[in-house]
């Protein structure tokens, strides 16, 4: 069938060998619109059998098809075309993403969907300028280091940035000549389904991109991680899932890239531009309902500006417009699911026993049966509170005062995670000292979410293994091979 958003409920099939197909078991599961709590589609329930079919199709495409045999420029033409078509269909994709995930349409339209297109445009261009290395040892000897595709790659993605993160993996994977099987998050299968249609329209050969929907443990996700025909797994999701995948992938020694959870520290010093720091703290804490791995989900403020910052922050947070994700004026939409909302609510209830809730933290039943919470700010928590250590992944921001640079660093490092942090100060020396001593893969100085797709992206400690972005992605999705030449004349 062809993907369409024109009907009230959508039927989301798997995509194998260039065809939309039902799950082999014949079973489906419902996909829920988080803003209404109502079913908006049915999804093919992928199982081990569907994964086997998808890997077989990807293997056939890799072994016999044109894709790995094309030049980089030829592949780039098709990959770039996918990006172009995403932009052409951006309204449809943005609407689908917001219905599926509960995120505000302004964010889907201006953030997620253009970024998905950029992933294809960027990697099409970047990979074509990627240079193999050549080492001339002496006049009679030369060593050439080339990069070859891996073969069939497994891609497993989460629900918080569905198309944005799937395309962040698919684009470099394709550019390096691989074929792949994507297992999208069970909560948000819609835009990957539309992408399959787009890839076909762009001329991607059959079997190069396959999509199997379904669940993780004991289901499609796990089947992908143990399949002997899959060479690598690029996974973004929870740290605990990363552990399970690593254990399951050990039997077939897969190459792994893990982008896992985060608990970002946002540190505001007394010499910072406070207007900008506070505005950004609100965005960093609550964008996408706080469901961003890179969220500034802990706010540390130097003591002599603490009260001023907290008061202004609380005022701004209480004015965030929570509402229908499809309303262009909405600033915060619905959380992904009832289960997730209830998990976040348990953190809020726990926080109330340890500290002071300054604003929010309520379920907004006036918005109907959707999973809406008002954004919450806490103070008065001790540093061993689980609200300051664990990833809540929701609209909850604890604020804590500190005295010295050293104390700020200690607080920032006081979590198992190490993905990102922000430092706000006008002193370059202080920014440098603090940035270097925070154990995280990214540090933003006087900004948040600034990205250049060429830079290494990933986490330290429990936030991940490996890096993606630019050449790091190209290296992950390929094998290095050295061919050495000796001349007799
Ligand atoms: P999740 O780990 O529950 O699920 C992610 C994906 O893994 C889903 O497709 C799921 O079906 C699949 N899965 C689950 N168990 C599996 C198993 N045993 N084997 C194979 N696949 C399995 O994560 P989520 O709740 O969808 O996403 C939220 C998490 O993702 C948060 O922790 C967030 O920080 C993290 N995240 C990290 C980054 C990053 O770049 N570091 C980006 C976005 C989200």
């Amino acid at each position: 069938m062809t993907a369409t958003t024109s009907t009230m409920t959508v039927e989301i099939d798997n995509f194998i060998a260039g065809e939309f197909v039902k799950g082999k078991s014949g079973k489906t599961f419902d996909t829920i619109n988080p803003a209404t709590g109502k079913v908006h589609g049915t999804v093919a329930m992928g199982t081990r059998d569907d994964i086997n079919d998808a890997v077989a199709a990807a293997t056939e495409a890799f072994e016999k098809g044109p894709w790995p045999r094309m030049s980089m420029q030829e592949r780039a033409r098709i990959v770039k075309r996918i990006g172009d078509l995403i932009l052409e269909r951006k309204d449809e994709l943005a609407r689908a993403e917001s219905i599926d995930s509960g995120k505000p349409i302004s964010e889907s339209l201006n953030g997620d969907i253009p970024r998905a297109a950029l992933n294809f445009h960027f990697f099409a261009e970047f990979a074509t300028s990627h240079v193999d290395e050549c080492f001339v040892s002496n006049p009679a000897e030369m060593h050439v280091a080339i990069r070859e595709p891996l073969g069939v790659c497994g891609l497993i993605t989460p629900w918080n940035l569905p198309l944005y993160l799937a395309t962040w993996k698919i684009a470099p994977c394709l550019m390096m000549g691989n074929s792949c099987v994507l297992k999208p998050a069970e909560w948000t299968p819609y835009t990957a389904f539309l992408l399959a249609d787009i890839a076909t329209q762009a001329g991607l050969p059959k079997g190069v991109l396959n999509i199997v929907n379904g669940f993780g443990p004991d289901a499609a996700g796990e089947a992908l991680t143990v399949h002997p025909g899959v060479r690598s797994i690029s996974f973004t999701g929870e740290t605990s899932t990363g552990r399970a995948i690593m254990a399951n992938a050990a039997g077939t020694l897969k190459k792994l890239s893990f982008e896992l959870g985060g608990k970002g520290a946002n540190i505001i010093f007394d010499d910072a531009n406070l207007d900008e720091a506070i505005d950004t703290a609100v965005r960093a804490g609550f964008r996408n309902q706080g469901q961003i791995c890179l969220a500034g989900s802990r706010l540390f403020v130097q003591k002599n500006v603490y009260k001023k910052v907290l008061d202004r922050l609380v005022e701004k947070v209480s004015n965030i417009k929570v509402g229908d994700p499809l309303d262009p004026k909405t600033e915060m939409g619905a959380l992904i699911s009832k289960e997730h909302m209830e998990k976040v609510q348990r953190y809020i209830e726990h926080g109330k026993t340890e500290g002071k809730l300054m604003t929010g933290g309520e379920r907004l039943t006036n918005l109907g049966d959707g999973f809406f919470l008002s954004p919450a700010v806490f103070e008065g928590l001790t540093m061993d509170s689980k609200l300051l250590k664990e990833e809540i992944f929701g609209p909850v921001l604890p604020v804590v005062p500190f005295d010295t640079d050293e104390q700020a660093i200690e607080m920032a490092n006081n979590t198992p995670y190490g993905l990102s942090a922000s430092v706000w100060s006008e002193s370059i020396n202080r920014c440098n000292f603090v940035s270097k001593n925070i154990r995280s893969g990214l540090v933003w100085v006087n900004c948040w979410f600034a990205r250049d797709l060429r830079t290494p992206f990933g986490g330290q400690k429990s936030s991940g293994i490996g890096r993606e972005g630019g050449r790091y992605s190209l290296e992950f999705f390929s094998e290095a091979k050295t061919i050495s030449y000796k001349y007799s004349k």
Side-chain angles (χ1 to χ4, degrees):
M1 71 167 277
T2 313
T4 171
T5 53
S6 60
T7 47
M8 285 305 284
T9 59
V10 64
E11 233 178 87
I12 295 175
D13 292 339
N14 294 332
F15 182 69
I16 298 176
E19 306 292 333
F20 287 101
V21 290
K22 305 279 170 211
K24 275 197 145 171
S25 69
K27 292 190 184 144
T28 58
F29 64 95
D30 290 337
T31 180
I32 308 288
N33 177 344
T36 61
K38 307 251 173 350
V39 174
H40 79 88
T42 54
V43 189
M45 173 92 82
T47 61
R48 191 170 302 274
D49 288 342
D50 302 290
I51 289 288
N52 287 344
D53 283 1
V55 175
T59 306
E60 169 94 8
F62 185 73
E63 299 292 345
K64 303 194 181 127
W67 190 250
R69 286 151 204 94
M70 285 179 177
S71 70
M72 271 292 185
Q73 281 77 8
E74 286 172 314
R75 285 201 291 267
R77 195 177 48 74
I78 293 173
V79 167
K80 187 175 170 302
R81 178 90 185 113
I82 298 175
D84 295 345
L85 290 169
I86 288 176
L87 291 181
E88 277 176 30
R89 288 171 67 172
K90 76 174 179 344
D91 292 335
E92 176 194 9
L93 286 161
R95 193 179 152 79
E97 201 72 297
S98 286
I99 289 174
D100 229 14
S101 70
K103 72 175 67 202
I105 190 79
S106 60
E107 224 167 283
S108 302
L109 205 53
N110 304 316
D112 293 54
I113 305 306
R115 169 59 195 273
L118 179 64
N119 287 337
F120 287 105
H121 289 151
F122 167 76
F123 278 109
E125 198 180 317
F126 188 82
T128 44
S129 56
H130 179 78
V131 190
D132 292 326
E133 291 172 306
C134 175
F135 305 88
V136 180
S137 314
N138 61 55
E141 196 180 307
M142 180 177 75
H143 305 264
V144 182
I146 59 167
R147 302 219 63 106
E148 295 183 330
L150 290 168
V152 179
C153 301
L155 315 175
I156 302 178
T157 48
W159 46 259
N160 64 323
L161 301 163
L163 192 66
Y164 176 136
L165 288 174
T167 55
W168 176 239
K169 298 181 188 305
I170 294 170
C173 175
L174 296 188
M175 277 311 299
M176 293 313 278
N178 302 287
S179 46
C180 63
V181 179
L182 169 71
K183 210 297 282 168
E186 52 272 39
W187 302 102
T188 52
Y190 202 169
T191 47
F193 174 63
L194 297 173
L195 180 70
D197 201 34
I198 287 173
T200 306
Q201 211 185 327
L204 191 70
K206 287 180 195 301
V208 174
L209 168 67
N210 304 275
I211 301 174
V212 178
N213 291 291
F215 293 82
D218 300 320
E222 187 176 315
L224 191 58
T225 63
V226 297
H227 198 295
V230 175
R231 276 295 298 127
S232 64
I233 297 287
S234 172
F235 167 72
T236 300
E238 281 189 16
T239 299
S240 56
T241 310
R243 286 195 190 99
I245 291 178
M246 192 171 216
N248 288 335
T252 45
L253 280 179
K254 289 183 178 33
K255 190 175 184 185
L256 299 173
S257 170
F258 285 171
E259 302 290 355
L260 308 175
K263 189 74 180 171
N266 193 1
I267 305 172
I268 303 181
F269 286 96
D270 59 4
D271 62 346
N273 174 337
L274 291 186
D275 288 341
E276 222 177 297
I278 296 166
D279 279 350
T280 311
V282 175
R283 279 194 297 120
F286 299 101
R287 182 165 167 189
N288 205 32
Q289 300 70 250
Q291 303 168 138
I292 299 190
C293 55
L294 301 170
S297 51
R298 296 173 297 157
L299 181 59
F300 301 120
V301 185
Q302 203 157 23
K303 259 194 188 135
N304 45 342
V305 290
Y306 177 78
K307 173 96 179 62
K308 187 155 115 187
V309 170
L310 183 67
D311 289 349
R312 281 162 64 183
L313 179 94
V314 166
E315 194 200 328
K316 281 178 188 286
V317 171
S318 53
N319 285 324
I320 290 176
K321 190 174 179 308
V322 185
D324 177 4
L326 296 181
D327 179 342
K329 291 198 215 73
T330 292
E331 293 169 335
M332 225 181 86
L335 278 79
I336 186 69
S337 65
K338 185 162 182 286
E339 290 86 333
H340 186 59
M341 178 187 69
E342 287 171 353
K343 179 182 151 194
V344 174
Q345 283 177 305
R346 284 195 291 278
Y347 276 105
I348 293 170
E349 289 312 310
H350 184 83
K352 286 184 196 167
T353 66
E354 290 184 337
K356 186 167 175 208
L357 178 63
M358 303 299 292
T359 183
E362 300 284 322
R363 178 154 189 201
L364 298 173
T365 45
N366 59 320
L367 294 172
D369 293 333
F371 315 127
F372 295 95
L373 291 179
S374 55
V377 175
F378 276 97
E379 74 158 342
L381 298 166
T382 57
M383 281 311 292
D384 57 4
S385 166
K386 65 179 184 176
L387 274 74
L388 280 160
K389 290 197 152 177
E390 297 174 12
E391 186 184 45
I392 302 172
F393 220 55
V396 181
L397 180 61
V399 190
V400 183
F402 68 87
D403 272 317
T404 62
D405 297 11
E406 287 74 13
Q407 204 184 3
I409 292 165
E410 197 185 321
M411 286 177 166
N413 287 335
N414 187 34
T415 166
Y417 296 103
L419 186 57
S420 63
S422 285
V423 182
W424 294 86
S425 163
E426 293 296 296
S427 157
I428 190 160
N429 292 328
R430 170 181 265 169
C431 290
N432 183 48
F433 174 70
V434 175
S435 305
K436 280 196 177 151
N437 283 287
I438 292 178
R439 295 200 57 207
S440 66
L442 298 113
V443 180
W444 285 294
V445 175
N446 295 325
C447 59
W448 175 73
F449 220 73
R451 292 274 291 118
D452 180 321
L453 303 191
R454 293 168 298 184
T455 57
F457 178 93
Q460 298 189 9
K461 304 196 288 185
S462 294
S463 286
I465 296 178
R467 294 292 180 268
E468 295 184 345
R471 71 180 169 85
Y472 302 88
S473 291
L474 302 186
E475 284 173 10
F476 176 74
F477 286 111
S478 62
E479 295 275 17
K481 178 188 272 182
T482 303
I483 305 179
S484 299
Y485 297 86
K486 209 153 189 157
Y487 316 115
S488 54
K489 301 190 191 176

